[in-house]
Amino acid sequence: MNHQSLRRLVLSALFAALACIATLVIQLHVSPNGYINLGDCIVLLCGWLLSPVYGAAAAGIGSAMADILSGYAYYAPATLVVKALMALFGGMAFRAVSAHGRHRILAACILSAVIAECIMAGGYYLFEAFVLGLGPVGALISMPGNAIQALGGGISGIVVYLLLRRSGALKLFNDLS
């Protein structure tokens, strides 16, 4: 394993742990089946800072671990897929928009966060409606909580990214994408 691959693997493991911890530290339960947390902040950062594959793996694994540790193991398979897709497609959108110049970073953050959070809300809606058997109407109960989580995750992710960018800490990630 070369230095670059080892570095990607270690940073991905670190981000998986951060996603798990950010999800577990603050949990505001909004329904019997869900809670609002800060994990989406890290999921977005996984997509923006790591390569698409490593970011998706870190986001999915870390978030699914949090579900298992917090008593929502039946959500872990959905969380693995949903959070991985959030990081993957959010990261791809971020790269596509930010490739047009440094002045587009905020637009890249906002657009990619909206895409990622729509994936989250839609993914959990489908899981609850068709896998948990709540049906299309019953699954709507979780949508307000998912919307609040999406807003909080998007705002916190953008703020943390911009602070890291301003501090110069993002130079660590320049050769990982």
Side-chain angles (χ1 to χ4, degrees):
M1 181 176 277
N2 66 29
H3 176 72
Q4 184 73 358
S5 296
L6 181 61
R7 193 163 163 241
R8 279 188 179 138
L9 186 63
V10 169
L11 282 171
S12 298
L14 173 68
F15 271 87
L18 284 172
C20 182
I21 291 166
T23 303
L24 292 173
V25 168
I26 297 175
Q27 292 185 354
L28 176 62
H29 294 268
V30 294
S31 74
N33 295 332
Y35 53 90
I36 297 169
N37 59 73
L38 294 177
D40 281 6
C41 172
I42 305 301
V43 168
L44 291 172
L45 291 174
C46 286
W48 297 340
L49 299 178
L50 303 173
S51 70
V53 172
Y54 284 89
I61 292 168
S63 299
M65 284 180 3
D67 276 355
I68 292 167
L69 293 172
S70 62
Y72 291 91
Y74 58 98
Y75 266 86
T79 295
L80 177 70
V81 172
V82 167
K83 300 300 180 169
L85 291 174
M86 286 175 66
L88 178 68
F89 288 106
M92 289 170 40
F94 177 84
R95 282 170 185 73
V97 175
S98 65
H100 295 289
R102 292 174 48 138
H103 63 285
R104 301 237 173 142
I105 295 295
L106 182 59
C109 287
I110 293 169
L111 177 64
S112 61
V114 168
I115 290 169
E117 297 300 348
C118 285
I119 290 169
M120 183 269 296
Y124 283 125
Y125 172 81
L126 292 172
F127 177 73
E128 291 170 356
F130 301 108
V131 176
L132 293 184
L134 298 178
V137 175
L140 290 174
I141 293 170
S142 296
M143 291 305 277
N146 286 339
I148 294 168
Q149 180 175 325
L151 187 62
I155 291 170
S156 61
I158 292 167
V159 168
V160 170
Y161 180 84
L162 294 176
L163 289 172
L164 288 172
R165 186 169 185 264
R166 177 170 255 186
S167 75
L170 295 184
K171 292 175 186 170
L172 296 168
F173 300 93
N174 285 344
D175 57 346
L176 293 178
S177 298

